[in-house]
Amino acid sequence: DEELRDNGNITWWLSKLKKRGQQILGASNFYSEDYGLYEDASAFGTAAMLMEDGDDATLNFQRLPVGSFHPETDAANLVSGLARRFALSLESLLQEFGRDALPARVVERLKEGRYYERENIIQFIRPIDPEDVDAPEWAEYESVYFLETKGEGEDQILARRYYRVRPVCGVLVVVGAV
């Protein structure tokens, strides 16, 4: 908007916002992960990175290994979400999700000291279903974590986390032959 662009208060506010954004990214691991993101995209044609809250009001970025994720598309064939599969040690499961979220069979293995055994995790990041009554009103996206294997009488869901903005970014390079 031409009128707004010339408003001194708005330009001052935008410059403050830009500076704060640069401080947050500078304090995070964004630049080291971003470099690899484009490297993956140029070599493999696709790349993805997660964005989560970090310690001390910063952000934590995690580049996903090529082949560990699958973009999901909407009816317009636009990428709207992501699915991925990864493994965590039992100790990491405990740290990430807490004892109450873990099934009894996993807690039992932890009590036996089998901390380094691994479980496969499936994560879906997707827009909130408008009919989902459990999601907070402010949430636009959710991330759901499942155990890949489910024991008798167990709940597979480890956690549901909600976001105002999409917590994943990606690069998709499409090369076609003429």
Side-chain angles (χ1 to χ4, degrees):
D1 186 310
E2 294 292 326
E3 289 180 33
L4 295 178
R5 186 172 41 181
D6 296 332
N7 183 312
N9 289 332
I10 291 174
T11 56
W12 174 83
W13 181 78
L14 288 174
S15 70
K16 290 292 212 183
L17 187 62
K18 177 182 175 183
K19 184 175 181 178
R20 181 64 184 134
Q22 290 170 332
Q23 289 172 336
I24 290 170
L25 290 177
S28 74
N29 64 336
F30 174 76
Y31 294 107
S32 61
E33 291 294 306
D34 185 51
Y35 177 80
L37 186 76
Y38 287 99
E39 198 172 67
D40 287 349
S42 63
F44 301 103
T46 187
M49 182 166 50
L50 296 178
M51 175 182 67
E52 296 278 350
D53 290 336
D55 299 331
D56 303 326
T58 62
L59 295 172
N60 183 46
F61 294 87
Q62 177 189 1
R63 192 177 79 223
L64 302 179
V66 172
S68 71
F69 62 90
H70 306 279
E72 294 186 352
T73 56
D74 60 16
N77 208 27
L78 298 173
V79 174
S80 59
L82 179 125
R84 74 180 185 124
R85 179 180 186 258
F86 61 101
L88 288 177
S89 69
L90 301 186
E91 184 175 40
S92 294
L93 275 172
L94 180 63
Q95 291 171 353
E96 180 70 25
F97 301 108
R99 186 174 302 274
D100 292 342
L102 302 179
R105 68 179 168 84
V106 173
V107 172
E108 190 60 38
R109 288 164 49 208
L110 282 164
K111 287 178 184 176
E112 294 169 1
R114 297 159 57 183
Y115 302 107
Y116 299 104
E117 289 185 3
R118 301 173 77 74
E119 285 280 340
N120 289 327
I121 310 300
I122 307 293
Q123 179 186 15
F124 291 103
I125 299 170
R126 61 185 182 201
I128 295 288
D129 180 345
E131 297 185 25
D132 185 350
V133 295
D134 294 329
E137 284 187 31
W138 54 263
E140 295 290 326
Y141 288 85
E142 70 175 339
S143 178
V144 184
Y145 295 85
F146 298 89
L147 280 175
E148 185 176 56
T149 56
K150 178 182 173 189
E152 185 78 27
E154 289 180 354
D155 185 5
Q156 276 180 284
I157 296 177
L158 294 169
R160 284 180 81 182
R161 297 178 180 155
Y162 299 98
Y163 302 90
R164 291 182 198 282
V165 297
R166 187 173 13 177
V168 64
C169 66
V171 178
L172 178 62
V173 178
V174 179
V175 178
V178 178

